[in-house]
Amino acid sequence: MTAYNCMSRQALEEEYQKVLSQYDDCKRQNLNLNIARGKPSSAQLDLVMDMLTTITDIDDCIADGVDTRNYGELSGLQCAKDYWASILGCKSNEIFVGGGSSLTLMYDVISKAFTHGLRRSERPWCKEEKIRFLCPSPGYDRHFMVTESFGCELVMVPMTVEGPNMDMVEELIQDPAVKGIWCVPKYSNPDGIIYSDETISRLANMKPAAPDFVIMWDNAYCVHEFEGDFVPFKDIITLCRDAGRPEMVFEFASTSKITFPGSGISCMASSVDNIAYMTKLMGIQMISYNKLNQIRHVRYLKDKENTLALMKRHAAILAPKFEMVTSILDREIKPLEFATWVKPKGGYFISFNTMPGTAKRALALCKEAGLTMTSAGATFPYGIDPNDSNIRIAPSLPPLNELKTAMGVFCTCLKLAALEKLLA
Ligand code: PLP
């Protein structure tokens, strides 16, 4: 195979006709495939069915002397706090245990910053003239949407292989209107990178102009290696505490990709004072979370060691899917030299950068051929990728045979979009 940019016009035209006929073949199959979102497969969900039988009688419902069937313990059962503290590496009294979605806790923090202010706020954010929020990109579309929905101005910060571009972050935080930053520090969505120790240390030691600047530290993939052993990771809560700014960070995690997405338990970690402040505000909107689910999870997952053993079983299902995606890309796309990607070792995504100016077109072609993917631009603030290049691949949900078909369609569409551009 010859790289597209080394081909003569005639060779490109011949290649175009060949790929077009492959595309027509794809369309004729009337496919209905989806690799849009990072959902665990049913084989992964089957792994954890035993969790549902950890409560069978009344005695099972008593935990730490608390009858978990009733109201109470808004900030979480002690055993659930201990569990999350062991996973994240902070202290139990820095943990607030939430319900089935960590995204809801993130939304709650931003929402309360707007309505009531955070602990260090001079006034609620809704009273500020302008709120700017840093969005390392490519990043997680739902993060960006949360801050966009409250009217924040989203400021794009480029991602590097070590995390957000910290020179830029350190300059931007001199502006008091810049109130926070979104971070997915481990197996970032979608790049799959792990922030370097230096990046983490620079983040924890920031001196932002805004007294209530907040690091939204979404550790969604904290134990989610699918290749190799667990990678130990610096705890941001401890680092911010040691740096004398314990209130600057809220960390989040959940069991969405450990047990059942939407039916798991989540947590928020921050300084003891921040947790007390948030618990008071949360107490106005609810009386307690689902503590039966907290004990189900703690009894089933037990501790970090046991959780990591379960994650190895998830990995055995996930790894072949990532392997398949990257080997097809290596075979079909790499020699053509118009795209780049990196195979991650954990998380749920592959971040794929196709020929600039062709991502939207490639995904429109995919849709027409029956393959749904995350929409182009979704990984950037306001859904606009300035290079129209980044595409997020989420290989976890379909079985291997469907994934193989999906990748065949995807490669054909990438080629077709690139050839259309080269021939235009
Ligand atoms: N954070 C990141 C980075 C994610 O990728 C996802 C889901 O894909 C979530 C949060 C959602 O987490 P939860 O199910 O706990 O709301």
Side-chain angles (χ1 to χ4, degrees):
M1 278 200 256
T2 316
Y4 277 179
N5 61 3
C6 298
M7 279 188 185
S8 67
R9 186 162 182 95
Q10 195 195 338
L12 284 173
E13 274 164 5
E14 281 164 21
E15 172 78 357
Y16 175 77
Q17 289 307 329
K18 193 179 100 195
V19 175
L20 187 61
S21 101
Q22 287 167 353
Y23 181 64
D24 288 339
D25 287 346
C26 293
K27 281 208 293 192
R28 271 194 287 277
Q29 293 177 58
N30 288 325
L31 299 168
N32 183 12
L33 302 164
N34 190 323
I35 48 172
R37 299 226 72 104
K39 284 185 177 181
S41 61
S42 48
Q44 289 177 266
L45 304 177
D46 293 349
L47 286 179
V48 291
M49 284 302 286
D50 284 352
M51 193 183 69
L52 298 180
T53 51
T54 50
I55 304 176
T56 53
D57 60 29
I58 293 173
D59 285 350
D60 293 335
C61 300
I62 312 297
D64 311 322
V66 172
D67 186 342
T68 60
R69 298 171 300 175
N70 218 329
Y71 280 141
E73 311 296 313
L74 172 62
S75 64
L77 291 171
Q78 188 58 45
C79 59
K81 293 182 184 182
D82 294 343
Y83 172 77
W84 280 121
S86 80
I87 295 284
L88 299 179
C90 61
K91 298 178 183 170
S92 297
N93 61 358
E94 292 167 323
I95 296 276
F96 178 100
V97 186
S101 164
S102 59
L103 189 66
T104 300
L105 292 174
M106 297 175 221
Y107 186 95
D108 278 326
V109 169
I110 299 297
S111 164
K112 281 160 193 13
F114 269 85
T115 52
H116 295 75
L118 299 175
R119 258 186 70 251
R120 300 265 171 196
S121 298
E122 286 155 343
R123 59 191 80 82
W125 291 7
C126 65
K127 298 257 163 75
E128 301 281 359
E129 210 163 284
K130 179 173 260 188
I131 301 285
R132 306 178 77 208
F133 222 89
L134 306 185
C135 300
S137 305
Y140 181 38
D141 50 354
R142 292 186 193 272
H143 285 163
F144 301 162
M145 282 191 274
V146 169
T147 31
E148 186 185 354
S149 75
F150 283 93
C152 297
E153 183 194 318
L154 308 185
V155 181
M156 190 182 112
V157 175
M159 280 291 280
T160 74
V161 289
E162 296 196 38
N165 179 325
M166 283 310 295
D167 290 343
M168 210 162 153
V169 169
E170 283 160 355
E171 202 179 308
L172 284 163
I173 60 168
Q174 302 311 315
D175 172 2
V178 171
K179 292 285 198 183
I181 182 169
W182 288 110
C183 295
V184 184
K186 199 172 168 188
Y187 305 123
S188 62
N189 177 347
D191 282 348
I193 62 126
I194 301 184
Y195 288 15
S196 69
D197 285 354
E198 193 202 328
T199 299
I200 299 173
S201 162
R202 282 172 78 175
L203 282 162
N205 285 283
M206 285 190 296
K207 307 239 171 340
D212 51 353
F213 181 94
V214 61
I215 304 175
M216 296 290 282
W217 195 255
D218 181 2
N219 216 341
Y221 301 106
C222 52
V223 287
H224 298 60
E225 282 75 15
F226 57 73
E227 193 184 312
D229 287 332
F230 171 71
V231 177
F233 192 68
K234 286 209 186 309
D235 170 45
I236 191 79
I237 305 294
T238 304
L239 291 179
C240 285
R241 194 192 320 116
D242 291 350
R245 294 291 306 270
E247 74 286 352
M248 187 168 63
V249 63
F250 278 91
E251 179 171 21
F252 307 88
S254 78
T255 60
S256 283
K257 279 141 195 169
I258 300 174
T259 60
F260 301 120
S263 305
I265 59 170
S266 58
C267 78
M268 164 166 82
S270 190
S271 71
V272 174
D273 288 342
N274 269 357
I275 292 297
Y277 178 78
M278 287 304 293
T279 305
K280 201 166 155 209
L281 287 177
M282 298 292 266
I284 297 163
Q285 74 187 52
M286 68 189 306
I287 306 173
S288 70
Y289 284 97
N290 183 342
K291 294 188 298 299
L292 286 166
N293 208 25
Q294 290 179 25
I295 43 170
R296 246 189 235 122
H297 275 79
V298 174
R299 293 217 173 112
Y300 181 72
L301 295 172
K302 294 188 178 72
D303 51 26
K304 184 170 174 178
E305 195 186 340
N306 196 56
T307 304
L308 291 178
L310 170 62
M311 296 317 283
K312 287 266 185 209
R313 297 174 67 207
H314 282 290
I317 297 170
L318 283 169
K321 297 187 178 182
F322 279 82
E323 185 57 43
M324 172 178 279
V325 169
T326 49
S327 64
I328 292 175
L329 292 173
D330 282 345
R331 191 182 67 228
E332 294 288 322
I333 304 293
K334 200 175 197 169
L336 307 176
E337 293 180 18
F338 67 80
T340 56
W341 62 94
V342 175
K343 185 182 172 202
K345 295 190 167 175
Y348 266 67
F349 305 102
I350 293 167
S351 181
F352 183 89
N353 294 301
T354 192
M355 179 184 287
T358 67
K360 264 205 184 101
R361 174 65 183 149
L363 294 190
L365 288 165
C366 287
K367 191 146 196 80
E368 228 183 296
L371 171 62
T372 305
M373 309 214 25
T374 313
S375 54
T379 50
F380 285 79
Y382 307 111
I384 300 168
D385 173 358
N387 294 320
D388 185 25
S389 166
N390 188 251
I391 296 173
R392 188 180 78 166
I393 305 173
S396 55
L397 183 66
L400 276 171
N401 59 337
E402 278 182 27
L403 186 60
K404 191 173 176 189
T405 311
M407 287 309 294
V409 176
F410 180 58
C411 291
T412 304
C413 296
L414 290 169
K415 290 181 204 172
L416 198 54
L419 288 161
E420 281 175 357
K421 187 169 168 71
L422 290 168
L423 288 166

